[in-house]
Amino acid sequence: DEKEKFEPTVFRDTIVQGLNEAGNDLEAIAKFLDAAGSRLDYRRYADTLFDILVAGSMLAPGGTRIDDNDKTKMTNHCVFFAEEDHDAIRNYAQVSKD
């Protein structure tokens, strides 16, 4: 049996690129995440996916972002960059659970 490599940075780059290409349309983001779920291992990279959907990039222990301010490794389509109102946050939560 050949073991799969654990490559969270490759996973991050794929997810961030898709989110950024989807633009500000939460429906397009949900469609991207749904389509990507059939080819990306969300269970294996659950922590990384959670970090991206909440903070916009991977987080190191202690909560600092691991992106070196490289815009290709981060997205603004996440909870931390959402408008600070109940409806906006609820919309992001619905995207993540779909």
Side-chain angles (χ1 to χ4, degrees):
D1 288 324
E2 192 174 317
K3 289 189 175 192
E4 276 188 63
K5 290 182 181 179
F6 183 68
E7 301 183 72
T9 56
V10 172
F11 177 83
R12 176 209 51 210
D13 294 345
T14 303
I15 294 294
V16 166
Q17 179 182 5
L19 293 176
N20 288 340
E21 288 175 358
N24 293 327
D25 182 5
L26 287 180
E27 191 170 321
I29 289 172
K31 286 180 183 178
F32 162 72
L33 290 171
D34 187 43
S38 65
R39 56 185 169 79
L40 298 175
D41 191 351
Y42 283 171
R43 286 185 182 180
R44 183 174 204 176
Y45 299 106
D47 292 337
T48 303
L49 181 61
F50 183 78
D51 289 351
I52 294 167
L53 294 176
V54 173
S57 188
M58 286 175 49
L59 299 176
T64 57
R65 290 185 3 185
I66 309 172
D67 56 38
D68 302 320
N69 289 320
D70 181 347
K71 298 293 183 191
T72 64
K73 297 179 181 179
M74 55 192 274
T75 184
N76 290 336
H77 307 297
C78 62
V79 173
F80 282 9
F81 288 98
E83 293 179 33
E84 293 185 27
D85 69 58
H86 182 73
D87 290 333
I89 301 299
R90 184 173 14 149
N91 288 338
Y92 274 94
Q94 288 175 345
V95 165
S96 332
K97 75 174 187 169
D98 289 344

